[in-house]
């Protein structure tokens, strides 16, 4: 249903007030966010992979809270 609403309202973000392009941030802001994402996303993925590596084999299927 959300996809249907988005398709029916496109390109209006706020119906009858702002289009997608009017409400978007400036190109400099988007470039800043892109650089931040390109730097932080690999760090987050590496940390997640490392934590999975550290805790591998510590939990078994037959042991639980119940």
């Amino acid at each position: 249903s959300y996809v249907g609403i988005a398709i029916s309202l496109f390109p209006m973000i706020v119906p009858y007030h702002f289009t997608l392009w009017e409400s978007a941030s400036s190109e400099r802001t988007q470039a800043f966010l892109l650089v931040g994402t390109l730097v932080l996303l690999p760090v987050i993925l590496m940390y997640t992979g490392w934590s999975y590596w550290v805790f591998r084999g510590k939990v078994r299927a037959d042991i639980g809270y119940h």
Side-chain angles (χ1 to χ4, degrees), residues 7-48:
I7 291 172
S8 67
L9 291 176
F10 185 79
M12 304 302 285
I13 296 299
V14 178
Y16 310 112
H17 290 288
F18 297 108
T19 65
L20 177 65
W21 298 274
E22 290 172 340
S23 61
S25 59
S26 68
E27 290 181 13
R28 292 185 66 200
T29 303
Q30 290 179 3
F32 176 77
L33 291 175
L34 178 64
V35 169
T37 301
L38 291 176
V39 170
L40 287 177
L41 186 61
V43 172
I44 292 169
L45 292 174
M46 285 188 295
Y47 180 77
T48 303

